[in-house]
Amino acid sequence: MTLAPDPPVSRVAAVAEPDALVIGAGPAGLAAAAMLGEAGLSSVVLERSPRIGQSWRDRYERLRLNSVRWMSGLPGYPIERALGRWVTRDDYVAYLERYAERYAIDVSSETRVERIDREGDRWRLSTSAGDLHAPIVVVATGWDNAPKTPPWPGSEDFSGKLLHASAYRDPAPFRGRDVLVAGIGSSGGEIAVDLLEGGADRVALACRTPPNIFPRQWLGFPISAAALFEKGLPGPGRLPAGVGDAFGRLFQRVINGPRRSYKLPHSPYGIATTQRTRARTPVIVDGLVEALRAGRIDVKSEIVGFEDTDVVLGDGERVRPDAVVAATGYGHGLEEIVGHLGVLDAGGGPVRRGAEAPPDAPGLHFIGYKLPHLYEIARDARLIADAAVAELARAREGALREGSGRRGRVAAHRASGHQRRRPAHDHGQ
């Protein structure tokens, strides 16, 4: 598929101070900017790449959304039914382009934000285009912003090809070769299936922690929609983790059969516990369980190191793949720009997400850091816009009160006879 030309983007030159600066022109940033505009606020989106949705453009060609179409659209503009239930990478990027055009979102491309600091009653952003200021800042740099590869001993001397999953595009370069994929997340599992179907000679998955695995749908029901069940329950605790874990194990067995049938040990964490304590969703991959059951994809122990042509595994086994794809995850990458503000938790995620700003950082919001990602982005974009309107109103009221108080103090000072005296020689004669 050929993507339509991008909507016009501009570089920051001399931008009048907007109500809000949004960092990142992916789905989260575009949704936040659109809803800020709908609320009557001006905003500029700062994007480090040349084009919007760049992180989606850079993913592997096989990629489809794991969340069903009706859960994946941005606020105010659902994804078109014609794009199917499971939207492809290219179709989703084209949708983001249409969304930006529909809401006339002002995107400043190739503008890298280096640091955010508080300056009086507004924020100062140090960027590659100079300092920018706004009372509201929305950080939307993405959940999967910084690829992470473990510091495996000897990896720099590995004679085969070693790449992170973020650099994998398609199976063509690996046709007829032996490939080890490190990590069974949704990306790792789907890349393994892609390699298998694309002609790799042998494919194996190196696994440290066996995951919970589901297909995209079962009997026509989209598995991603199950996440909405808990959100509909009343009360702050919602469904106890133990109950959610038990349901997850039951449905995995019903859908996939016994785990021993596809040669994967039981996961030590249930689906609810995994999401709440490790911020991870279940692995959603079509065809993986079938490939494991048929023995077409092997499961190995985790990688612990490299020695020349050998990959050393946690159980002592040594294998000699031609290539290793490290599907070992991503970090948020927020430390560089906001780590000094005390707004991140121990895992590098925001301590407050969505409409609620951190206690000591008024007007600073984070979007795209909740699960399930796209569904929560649509909800939070509207809530952040409402919060921004209220925050700006409070700031203006405070400024008015301060101005009134200052004028009152000056009037009282003058009334008490403390006007500035003329010099003794100046008698108006």
Side-chain angles (χ1 to χ4, degrees):
M1 174 182 176
T2 301
L3 296 177
D6 290 337
V9 292
S10 60
R11 296 183 184 223
V12 175
V15 178
E17 183 174 313
D19 294 315
L21 290 167
V22 180
I23 308 172
L30 296 178
M35 293 302 99
L36 287 165
E38 290 293 283
L41 303 183
S42 61
S43 69
V44 176
V45 180
L46 309 177
E47 169 56 43
R48 66 185 178 185
S49 304
R51 300 175 293 179
I52 67 171
Q54 190 65 51
S55 63
W56 290 86
R57 299 173 191 271
D58 290 342
R59 295 300 178 89
Y60 52 93
E61 293 181 3
R62 183 191 181 98
L63 177 69
R64 288 178 178 267
L65 299 185
N66 283 333
S67 54
V68 67
R69 183 193 67 252
W70 53 263
M71 283 182 63
S72 306
L74 301 184
Y77 183 36
I79 298 175
E80 299 90 335
R81 183 183 293 271
L83 298 185
R85 195 173 226 198
W86 311 105
V87 182
T88 67
R89 178 199 68 176
D90 288 353
D91 281 343
Y92 190 66
V93 170
Y95 163 75
L96 294 180
E97 293 171 348
R98 291 192 298 276
Y99 190 86
E101 185 175 4
R102 181 186 184 94
Y103 285 98
I105 297 172
D106 186 0
V107 179
S108 174
S109 65
E110 297 183 280
T111 304
R112 178 179 292 273
V113 177
E114 298 160 353
R115 183 181 169 98
I116 302 174
D117 288 288
R118 191 69 175 167
E119 189 175 83
D121 58 355
R122 61 181 183 168
W123 294 98
R124 183 183 75 249
L125 277 62
S126 303
T127 82
S128 56
D131 287 355
L132 303 173
H133 298 84
I136 304 293
V137 171
V138 182
V139 179
T141 52
W143 183 280
D144 294 340
N145 185 40
K148 294 195 301 185
T149 301
W152 289 309
S155 60
E156 64 278 2
D157 298 321
F158 178 52
S159 58
K161 183 177 181 63
L162 173 61
L163 69 156
H164 189 270
S166 59
Y168 175 87
R169 295 294 176 269
D170 63 74
F174 306 94
R175 193 168 291 125
R177 305 183 73 185
D178 182 353
V179 186
L180 178 65
V181 180
I184 313 184
S186 293
S187 293
E190 191 159 54
I191 287 172
V193 173
D194 195 35
L195 288 164
L196 178 67
E197 296 179 355
D201 185 41
R202 287 190 297 177
V203 180
L205 282 161
C207 172
R208 180 176 61 184
T209 305
N212 299 286
I213 302 178
F214 292 91
R216 281 189 173 86
Q217 62 183 9
W218 179 63
L219 299 179
F221 177 78
I223 297 300
S224 55
L228 305 184
F229 170 74
E230 183 183 12
K231 293 183 180 298
L233 296 177
R238 294 180 174 169
L239 197 69
V243 176
D245 291 346
F247 273 117
R249 286 190 294 270
L250 172 63
F251 283 113
Q252 279 182 92
R253 184 178 179 87
V254 170
I255 296 169
N256 299 329
R259 289 179 73 95
R260 65 177 179 274
S261 71
Y262 49 99
K263 309 175 184 67
L264 197 64
H266 285 281
S267 175
Y269 307 102
I271 58 172
T273 297
T274 298
Q275 180 162 329
R276 295 180 192 182
T277 64
R278 308 179 76 209
R280 296 179 185 174
T281 58
V283 172
I284 298 181
V285 181
D286 290 331
L288 178 59
V289 168
E290 292 79 2
L292 293 172
R293 184 179 287 117
R296 301 180 67 203
I297 295 178
D298 294 327
V299 177
K300 303 287 187 181
S301 183
E302 76 276 12
I303 295 176
V304 296
F306 291 77
E307 290 185 12
D308 192 23
T309 60
D310 289 358
V311 178
V312 184
L313 304 179
D315 59 2
E317 182 184 2
R318 288 171 176 256
V319 294
R320 291 186 174 182
D322 299 307
V324 174
V325 180
T328 45
Y330 299 79
H332 298 324
L334 295 171
E335 290 83 359
E336 182 178 349
I337 61 172
V338 297
H340 57 288
L341 296 175
V343 297
L344 302 180
D345 59 27
V351 294
R352 298 287 188 272
R353 308 174 189 214
E356 186 180 2
D360 297 323
L364 181 63
H365 297 276
F366 295 84
I367 185 171
Y369 302 95
K370 295 181 182 177
L371 300 173
H373 300 133
L374 296 179
Y375 178 80
E376 289 292 350
I377 283 171
R379 288 158 53 95
D380 276 345
R382 291 187 173 96
L383 296 174
I384 287 173
D386 292 342
V389 169
E391 288 162 349
L392 289 175
R394 286 194 296 270
R396 288 169 184 142
E397 289 172 4
L400 288 173
R401 284 196 300 269
E402 183 178 347
S404 298
R406 186 182 298 113
R407 287 192 296 271
R409 288 193 296 273
V410 170
H413 184 75
R414 288 177 176 172
S416 65
H418 292 289
Q419 294 94 336
R420 182 174 62 89
R421 293 186 179 182
R422 292 179 176 178
H425 62 272
D426 182 6
H427 299 290
Q429 299 175 350

